[in-house]
Amino acid sequence: MAEIRQGTRFLVLGANGKVGRLVRAVWADSNDDRVKFVPVVRRDCGLPGQVIWSPGESLSTLPAADAVLALWGVTPGPGVRLEMNSVLALNAMEVARATGADRVLHCSSAAVYAPATEPLSEEMPPNPISAYGRAKLDMEHVLAADQARHPQGPRIICLRIGNVAGAESLFGAMMRSDDVCLDRFPNESGPERSYIAPSELAHVLALLASRPVQDMPEVLNIAAPVATSMESIARAAQRRVIWRDAAPGAVQQVVLDTKRLNTVCPLRPETARPDHLVSDWLRWKEAG
């Protein structure tokens, strides 16, 4: 595996979102000074080294950067405009060109895949079933068109990220209550997903910002190498599981194939253990 290049300046858009707060806490605790993380926020958040900037403002106020991480995006909710994911992705490309970055890491999603019983690999044709998945796939297509218009760069890397411990619905439910409601499927089991803990996600992102750009894949699944059941996570967090019959069309299994990630940044199977996912979430939630 290639070494991290020294002195990488990593501009982080959406640094104060759910995922941003978690990975920032990990990076702040790290003694590794090879990568300097520069959080970009819309208003003064009191973050060390923060840059206050919003889309539409002058790009000349942004500092020089080696890489850009686009953590910002729009998630499902009442009245949201999911097509803004494509707009923000193009904004990130403008930021990269203005700051001299040679790559942009864009947060796509496992939701771009169709449900399948086998692990979902990057070679599979995307076929999303949700509006959110379609919006993220549209974003990928918009980025591909942008890359064609700007073949000189920066390089686009679309990260199809699994469930981030601490930044998705199950962990949200566990923050609100000691009871967690889960779907029960005809095989008497609950949902199973590919998760990644904040510590591992922060490590992967830093490495992807720092490796030689020619080594970067265009699309990369991001998750622990094995899946984790939601029931096991809830019980590891000492929550009571309340079962309900799964509705028609509910998806029991979303498992990402991480062979390609393993060639870039190998993760141990232990990183998918429910106790690790819970303890890592609690550690960085409190730190952040």
Side-chain angles (χ1 to χ4, degrees), residues 60-199:
S60 64
T61 63
L62 294 169
D66 298 296
V68 172
L69 169 61
L71 285 177
W72 58 14
V74 180
T75 55
V80 301
R81 296 174 56 203
L82 292 174
E83 67 272 16
M84 286 301 297
N85 284 298
S86 292
V87 175
L88 290 170
L90 291 177
N91 289 155
M93 298 306 298
E94 292 174 357
V95 167
R97 284 189 279 269
T99 59
D102 68 4
R103 75 199 70 186
V104 186
L105 310 182
H106 292 275
C107 293
S108 188
S109 170
V112 303
Y113 295 111
T117 55
E118 70 271 22
L120 304 163
S121 76
E122 295 92 342
E123 288 80 15
M124 289 181 172
N127 187 20
I129 61 172
S130 68
Y132 178 66
R134 290 190 292 273
K136 284 294 188 180
L137 184 58
D138 287 344
M139 181 195 80
E140 292 189 15
H141 290 159
V142 165
L143 287 169
D146 186 76
Q147 187 88 90
R149 290 192 299 271
H150 301 276
Q152 73 280 6
R155 182 73 176 270
I156 292 169
I157 303 103
C158 288
L159 308 178
R160 293 175 178 170
I161 304 175
N163 290 29
V164 179
E168 50 80 73
S169 59
L170 173 59
F171 283 81
M174 294 194 303
M175 282 189 274
R176 294 189 298 270
S177 174
D178 289 334
D179 294 337
V180 174
C181 189
L182 294 177
D183 287 341
R184 175 176 279 157
F185 292 84
N187 64 357
E188 299 299 318
S189 296
E192 184 180 25
R193 298 289 186 267
S194 283
Y195 274 88
I196 188 166
S199 289

